[in-house]
Amino acid sequence: RGLRCIARAVAPGKYPVLLQGPTSAGKTSVIEYLAAVTGHRFVRVNNHAHTDVQEYVGGYVSDERGRLVFAEGPLVQAMRQGHWL
């Protein structure tokens, strides 16, 4: 029943869907499975007690010449490319 409800929520592709629940409830596995059967790319980001915004959006890093350049994080990359996160 839960899988069916989630599938109905993501099927139209109009709105983002956020799953919340306790650790090890299967949220990631359900989304990974749905992405696979619907042909979407799935990007996994592990959260922890000290996860900050930069880990999602990105931040400034030095390039090969020593200049500061913005490196996009997995959230920005997934949004640009239409992947599931």
Side-chain angles (χ1 to χ4, degrees), residues 19 22 24-35 42-47 85:
L19 298 182
S24 297
K27 300 176 298 290
T28 301
S29 297
V30 165
I31 296 304
E32 190 171 15
Y33 171 77
L34 283 174
F42 172 75
V43 179
R44 181 182 180 141
V45 176
N46 290 320
N47 295 311
L85 181 74

Side-chain angles (χ1 to χ4, degrees), residues 5-32:
C5 289
I6 295 168
R8 274 189 292 226
V10 300
K14 288 184 172 187
Y15 305 104
V17 176
L18 173 66
L19 298 182
Q20 291 181 297
T23 302
S24 297
K27 300 176 298 290
T28 301
S29 297
V30 165
I31 296 304
E32 190 171 15

